[in-house]
Amino acid sequence: MNAPERPEHLEPAMSFPSFEPWRWNLPSHFNIGVACTDAHLGTAVADKLAMIVEDDELGVSTATYQDLAEATSRFAQLLRNLGVRTEDRVLIRLPNSLAYPTAFLGTMKRGAIAVPTSTLLTAEEVLYLARDSGATVLVTDKTMWAGLRDRLKGLDSLKYVLLAEGGVPPFEKGGPGGIYRAEMNGNGRNASQAALAKGSLTVISLESALAAIDTWEAPHPTRSHDPAYLVYTSGTTGYPKGVLHAHRAMLGREPAARYWFDFNAEDDRIVHSGKFNWTYVLGSGLMDPLYRGKTVIVHEGKNDAEGWIRLIAKHSATIFIGVPTIYRQILQKTAFTGADVPTLRHCMSAGEHLSDEMLGLWRERFGVDIYEAVGMSEVSYYLSENIYRPIRPGSAGFPQPGHDVRLLDPETLKEVAAGEEGMICLPADDPGLFMRYWNLPEETGKVFRERWFLTGDYARFDEDGYIWFLGRKDDIINSFGYRVSPHEIERVMKTHPAVADCAATGEELAADKVLVVAYVMLHSGADVSADELAAFGREHLAGYKAPKIVYLAPDFPRTKNGKIIRKQLRPEIAVGRSA
């Protein structure tokens, strides 16, 4: 498919190098797990380090591409032995570890659907995702399992829990497999080690089960358009919304790899500051680098500003990827400069806007630019700055070639005039687009109209072709790189018996610093403090969703129809607040 010509009113007024026409080459069959592992076997990349995990407690673990290919094939075979069918869901709740790509990519090699979830979620949030996805298998580690084992009730679909103990590959010949092999039955289960939890739920040691597998079948021959992975994002109903992607999503990310990354023929080594469960990291910190045979370095443990620079220096990393909060912390809390990381040549940011001030300070201290991108769970990153054209602070850069971005009037689906605000829309056949919302056909129907996918985000083009991202016209809160639905916070806070009504919003403390806060109205006669309500939020919501401040208010600003006007929520209306 050729990249379509841009309408005349969007032709740049300045002279920039033109992007090459983009052609999509989608094979009939494609598998993300194979493309990131087995595809490198028999090449010079096979013995190269694919991943380095620096864990504060467990130390350093590494895996080559050969190791990952074997581990993911063993995992796929384990799923087959357990009776997991194609398109069954495998819920993954793991820290950054070698077990993560083993499970994520191995699930797709089986032809099943991987469901990555955040380690920050509470047990009840995990329970909802397990129930909504209909997961057959849960992959987690022993630490997280302790908080889940007594909560997974009433899940008819969930049959197996695979417990990791700090990493999977590589497998030593004559190692753990020899110890456990005699104890494995034909289903791939460790009969003497496995513990039966509630009902028919079987708990299995992941390491021992994989080590006991000697041979495996070929990966499932998935088609490009077959389901691959299911991610959950903040939903407007107060519940997370499943976003189902096909294997072609990996190919749909190729423009980002070329026009946001700066991959080259050298041995790039990438440090990513995020967690694999986030779609930002699943793509830019896992699938993209592994697809191209690069080395990924990730960290598990305390977020430490000095630690990121030391990690870059220790592993001679060439690319660093983070969110604005991480860049700000490095600048504010350390004295490091470019001299401390001489190999670093390319930096990337997404999740929220990077302020002009932070960009300038980073350039001054480290001598390299930070290239921003804009994306969403439904299509990953499709707008970005790039090395081919100057960064214009505040702008999101350009649509990546291959993604035919148009700014349309959402009512008429007609393209808006130059300089005007319009909704960002992409053709419905863009290979990077998701397939559908999980179990939500009406929601899917709302965003696919005629031949377009309507993102819900608004932007405008300037006279030079730069796109200026304006964001959504809904109430999603962007806080420290996370997109948080106020409806989800409100739904949970309203379950407290003292709460009559609740409105969540973002409170901007400074540039690039937005806190999630909640305004609460109490039932008449209720005796509860704002601090108690804040503690309730922390107990029932993931840390990044829980309100950092709870305000007690007698009423909220409302429209004539009684709808809360979030933009008018201010601390001044409160009669009390949490500490």
Side-chain angles (χ1 to χ4, degrees):
M1 180 188 300
N2 290 325
E5 295 182 1
R6 182 153 303 286
E8 290 184 3
H9 68 260
L10 298 181
E11 286 295 328
M14 297 179 66
S15 178
F16 293 129
S18 60
F19 294 132
E20 296 178 8
W22 186 274
R23 289 177 173 82
W24 292 109
N25 295 307
L26 296 181
S28 61
H29 286 75
F30 185 82
N31 184 285
I32 293 175
V34 173
C36 293
T37 59
D38 294 14
H40 299 299
L41 300 181
T43 73
V45 174
D47 294 325
K48 178 180 176 179
L49 281 181
M51 188 167 293
I52 301 170
V53 180
E54 292 258 4
D55 190 300
D56 289 348
E57 295 186 5
L58 302 176
V60 181
S61 55
T62 63
T64 65
Y65 277 92
Q66 180 76 45
D67 294 331
L68 272 187
E70 179 178 333
T72 51
S73 290
R74 288 175 186 254
F75 189 90
Q77 189 62 41
L78 175 59
L79 295 183
R80 289 189 194 93
N81 294 346
L82 295 176
V84 175
R85 302 161 300 180
T86 57
E87 299 191 17
D88 278 355
R89 277 72 64 201
V90 177
L91 193 80
I92 302 169
R93 190 178 192 236
L94 291 167
N96 280 356
S97 62
L98 296 180
Y100 209 108
T102 298
F104 181 68
L105 300 173
T107 295
M108 291 185 284
K109 286 172 80 170
R110 168 63 192 97
I113 299 173
V115 187
T117 63
S118 173
T119 58
L120 300 177
L121 299 181
T122 64
E124 59 194 90
E125 289 174 306
V126 174
L127 181 63
Y128 172 80
L129 299 187
R131 181 179 292 112
D132 187 69
S133 66
T136 301
V137 177
L138 167 65
V139 188
T140 189
D141 69 3
K142 286 190 172 181
T143 301
M144 296 178 192
W145 176 237
L148 286 174
R149 61 183 309 158
D150 296 326
R151 306 296 293 274
L152 299 179
K153 300 177 182 178
L155 294 177
D156 294 335
S157 63
L158 190 64
K159 303 300 181 185
Y160 299 100
V161 176
L162 305 180
L163 287 187
E165 299 186 39
V168 175
F171 293 91
E172 297 180 7
K173 293 182 179 179
I179 298 174
Y180 294 101
R181 189 172 297 113
E183 301 174 358
M184 303 296 289
N185 63 24
N187 288 328
R189 286 179 284 174
N190 187 319
S192 64
Q193 298 281 328
L196 290 177
K198 304 295 183 181
S200 61
L201 189 62
T202 303
V203 182
I204 302 171
S205 165
L206 180 60
E207 278 82 356
S208 61
L210 294 182
I213 294 175
D214 292 317
T215 60
W216 45 84
E217 299 172 35
H220 188 76
T222 54
R223 296 167 298 176
S224 299
H225 296 279
D226 285 341
Y229 60 96
L230 175 66
V231 294
Y232 278 84
T233 186
S234 294
T236 56
T237 63
Y239 291 93
K241 182 167 56 179
V243 180
L244 183 64
H245 279 278
H247 287 273
R248 57 174 162 76
M250 178 77 256
L251 302 173
R253 297 179 56 83
E254 289 195 275
R258 180 168 181 181
Y259 292 100
W260 180 33
F261 273 96
D262 184 28
F263 286 136
N264 59 28
E266 300 175 5
D267 288 338
D268 276 320
R269 297 166 74 87
I270 297 117
V271 168
H272 205 305
S273 64
K275 300 290 186 183
F276 283 140
N277 59 266
W278 193 14
T279 52
Y280 176 19
V281 192
L282 271 178
S284 58
L286 183 68
M287 291 187 285
D288 290 336
L290 295 185
Y291 182 46
R292 286 159 185 82
K294 308 300 181 180
T295 299
V296 175
I297 303 113
V298 293
H299 173 257
E300 179 59 37
K302 183 181 179 181
N303 179 15
D304 175 43
E306 293 189 358
W308 299 119
I309 299 300
R310 293 197 178 104
L311 205 60
I312 294 169
K314 176 181 177 180
H315 296 287
S316 300
T318 57
I319 297 174
F320 180 58
I321 308 175
V323 295
T325 298
I326 296 295
Y327 288 104
R328 183 177 66 248
Q329 290 174 348
I330 292 172
L331 289 169
Q332 293 177 346
K333 298 181 180 181
T334 80
F336 290 121
T337 68
D340 297 297
V341 282
T343 58
L344 182 65
R345 61 174 177 77
H346 191 72
C347 294
M348 299 155 61
S349 178
E352 59 181 321
H353 177 59
L354 181 79
S355 71
D356 301 354
E357 179 188 14
M358 288 296 111
L359 175 61
L361 290 173
W362 189 267
R363 281 173 171 168
E364 183 179 335
R365 287 261 297 272
F366 291 92
V368 294
D369 280 321
I370 301 173
Y371 294 87
E372 281 194 83
V374 171
M376 58 194 306
S377 299
E378 290 85 345
V379 69
S380 193
Y381 295 93
Y382 60 98
L383 307 175
S384 65
E385 297 162 340
N386 58 72
I387 63 172
Y388 305 102
R389 297 179 178 178
I391 290 176
R392 184 165 289 180
S395 165
F398 299 87
Q400 295 161 358
H403 297 306
D404 182 18
V405 172
R406 303 294 178 97
L407 301 186
L408 306 181
D409 180 317
E411 299 298 325
T412 64
L413 297 184
K414 302 294 185 182
E415 196 158 8
V416 301
E420 289 189 2
E421 175 182 333
M423 183 182 287
I424 302 173
C425 299
L426 293 96
D429 62 354
D430 187 305
L433 272 178
F434 75 123
M435 300 175 69
R436 63 181 182 273
Y437 292 123
W438 188 255
N439 294 333
L440 295 170
E442 291 185 2
E443 290 293 314
T444 304
K446 290 178 183 177
V447 297
F448 285 102
R449 289 174 49 198
E450 296 183 12
R451 66 183 187 92
W452 298 103
F453 166 65
L454 282 63
T455 67
D457 290 322
Y458 287 76
R460 63 176 177 83
F461 281 106
D462 67 16
E463 66 277 10
D464 296 318
Y466 284 84
I467 193 167
W468 296 79
F469 186 76
L470 304 173
R472 303 182 75 83
K473 288 191 174 180
D474 59 19
D475 304 310
I476 292 292
I477 304 165
N478 288 298
S479 178
F480 298 98
Y482 294 100
R483 290 172 58 82
V484 181
S485 168
H487 307 287
E488 187 171 356
I489 298 168
E490 293 159 6
R491 174 182 60 80
V492 171
M493 296 300 290
K494 288 176 183 178
T495 63
H496 191 288
V499 174
D501 203 354
C502 175
T505 187
E507 183 173 312
E508 186 171 357
L509 298 188
D512 302 329
K513 195 170 185 179
V514 176
L515 296 184
V516 176
V517 302
Y519 288 80
V520 172
M521 287 175 56
L522 300 178
H523 286 296
S524 177
D527 184 16
V528 64
S529 69
D531 287 334
E532 290 174 297
L533 292 174
F536 179 82
R538 291 191 296 271
E539 179 183 354
H540 296 278
L541 288 161
Y544 65 92
K545 300 178 189 177
K548 300 300 181 290
I549 302 174
V550 171
Y551 293 103
L552 300 180
D555 200 356
F556 302 142
R558 300 177 186 271
T559 65
K560 292 181 179 180
N561 294 327
K563 185 177 180 180
I564 297 172
I565 307 174
R566 296 179 192 277
K567 292 182 179 180
Q568 294 182 16
L569 291 171
R570 298 286 186 274
E572 291 76 21
I573 72 171
V575 294
R577 58 162 286 172
S578 58

